Each structure stands twice: as structure tokens, then as C-alpha cells.
Amino acid sequence: MGFLDWFYYPLAFFGLLRLQRAKVLFLGLDNAGKSTLLQMVSRGRRGIVAPTLHPTLEEWTIGRVVFATLDLAGHQEARRLWRDYLHDTTAVVFIVDAKDPGRFDEAAAALHELSAMEQLARVPFAVLGNKIDHPDAVSEDFLRDRLGLWQITIRPIELFMCSIAAKTGYGEGLRWLAAQL
Ligand SMILES: Nc1nc2c(ncn2[C@@H]2O[C@H](COP(=O)(O)OP(=O)(O)OP(=O)(O)O)[C@@H](O)[C@H]2O)c(=O)[nH]1
Ligand SMILES: [Mg+2]
């Protein structure tokens, strides 16, 4: 495999490279797995990630596709920052830690707040229930219910259970997302 093949493989694989221009946001609470997914997409492997300091924006551009992570936990000031950042978003990947039920309500609130925003009115959302390699991870039906996904109707939205660390499940989510664009 040549250098370019190696470089573009993850994106071509997900069907995102054919896009003219795209801004794909990886959103979710802290500790959900946003930085880990960004590493997988940008480098095809997992490195060591330290918790990202808030409010931090990480960006990675491949071809004409910009990937960015944004932490949705916390206070109003951070909220204002991410609100400004959303206007030309093409697609949203919303990541939830599926082994942390104590934070499902907080994650659901952030997801519903996002889905009500005008800037994202027609933007497709792939919701990733991450960390299913862990024994405490909940089932897909349980997570779907706790996040209240059936209440979000005006856009394509789909839940995918995955383990970003074990490289399973999120590829389907990204391919589904690319197919919506
Ligand atoms: N078991 C398991 N752990 C994971 C998985 N994906 C990420 N993690 C771990 O979860 C922790 C948080 O991952 P990050 O990628 O830093 O999460 P983040 O959403 O960027 O978090 P902040 O930077 O704090 O906003 C790290 O210790 C990761 O190694 C997974 O699929 N399974
Ligand atoms: Mg991070």
C-alpha cells in the first residue's frame, strides 16, 4: 500500500472522501471517546489520549473533510462557544459512553439540546453507544430508550453500538452518515 492509500484508506472506507466539502463533528460528554475516534479516523489506530482540557476544539483535515471534536459537558460559557462553531456542520457523530448509565440523562439533555438547534436542523446524526467491549455496557434498546431517540424526528438519526478501542461498530455509523449526505 502506498503512502496515499494508507493516508486516505480510513476515509475512503467510510465513503466520506467523495464529498466536496464536509465538516463532521464528533460531539459528546467528556470521556465519551471523541478524541479516540478522531485518532482512529485520522491515523487508523489508537494512540494515548489524555482527557482534553475544556473547552477545547480538536480539528483534523483530510482532503476536503474537516473532522472536529467538541466537548458538550459543562456550563453556559462552553455552550456559547460550541453554538458558534456549529453553523456549517455537515454531519454529527454523537458519542455516548454506554457503560456509564449515571450520565445518560446528561448525555440525553445535550443531544436533545443539539437537535433543537436551528444550525443543525437538517444535519444527520449518528449516535454511537461506545465501549461495548466493557462488561458494564448497556444494551442497544436500553440506551435508545434512555436517550429518548424516538423523540427526535426531524432529521436522519440512527444509533450504532460500538467499541472505538476495539475498532468495531463505528465504521457502520460513519458509512451510514456518509450515505445520508
Ligand atoms: N473500554 C473502552 N474504553 C474506551 C473506548 N473508547 C475510548 N475509551 C477510553 O475512554 C476514555 C476517554 O476517551 P477520550 O477519547 O479521551 O474521550 P473524550 O470524549 O475525548 O473525552 P474528553 O477529552 O475528556 O472530552 C479514554 O480512557 C479512552 O481510552 C472503548 O471503545 N472502550
Ligand atoms: Mg478528548
Side-chain angles (χ1 to χ4, degrees):
M1 210 158 50
F3 173 73
L4 282 180
D5 291 339
W6 171 82
F7 192 65
Y8 284 119
Y9 175 74
L11 275 190
F13 187 64
F14 300 138
L16 288 165
L17 256 197
R18 64 173 173 79
L19 300 175
Q20 285 308 305
R21 256 184 90 250
K23 183 159 113 183
V24 180
L25 295 188
F26 298 160
L27 306 178
L29 303 182
D30 52 287
N31 203 48
K34 302 177 297 292
S35 298
T36 308
L37 181 61
L38 189 64
Q39 287 191 338
M40 285 296 195
V41 169
S42 58
R43 293 198 255 158
R45 64 187 160 80
R46 182 184 180 196
I48 296 162
V49 286
T52 311
L53 298 173
H54 321 231
T56 302
L57 181 67
E58 296 168 276
E59 267 192 1
W60 186 270
T61 305
I62 305 178
R64 291 171 294 244
V65 183
V66 177
F67 293 91
T69 72
L70 214 51
D71 184 347
L72 300 184
H75 310 296
Q76 287 309 116
E77 270 133 82
R79 284 277 195 283
R80 266 197 297 280
L81 277 181
W82 53 262
R83 211 173 271 270
D84 290 344
Y85 193 76
L86 297 175
H87 67 280
D88 54 351
T89 299
T90 315
V92 167
V93 179
F94 187 89
I95 309 173
V96 183
D97 183 344
K99 66 168 179 57
D100 194 2
R103 298 191 75 190
F104 287 169
D105 288 347
E106 189 186 355
L111 177 60
H112 286 261
E113 189 178 339
L114 276 177
S115 77
M117 291 175 69
E118 203 177 317
Q119 296 99 314
L120 300 177
R122 260 168 282 281
V123 173
F125 281 33
V127 180
L128 300 183
N130 187 29
K131 311 194 187 181
I132 58 166
D133 57 281
H134 195 281
D136 293 343
V138 303
S139 72
E140 180 171 348
D141 285 347
F142 187 85
L143 185 60
R144 189 188 304 277
D145 188 52
R146 287 291 304 273
L147 293 178
L149 288 190
W150 74 93
Q151 297 162 5
I152 301 174
T153 50
I154 55 166
R155 67 167 49 68
I157 184 165
E158 197 69 54
L159 175 63
F160 300 86
M161 301 306 280
C162 75
S163 168
I164 299 169
K167 295 195 181 191
T168 57
Y170 64 88
E172 283 76 8
L174 292 176
R175 270 192 293 276
W176 174 85
L177 209 48
Q180 308 304 311
L181 301 174

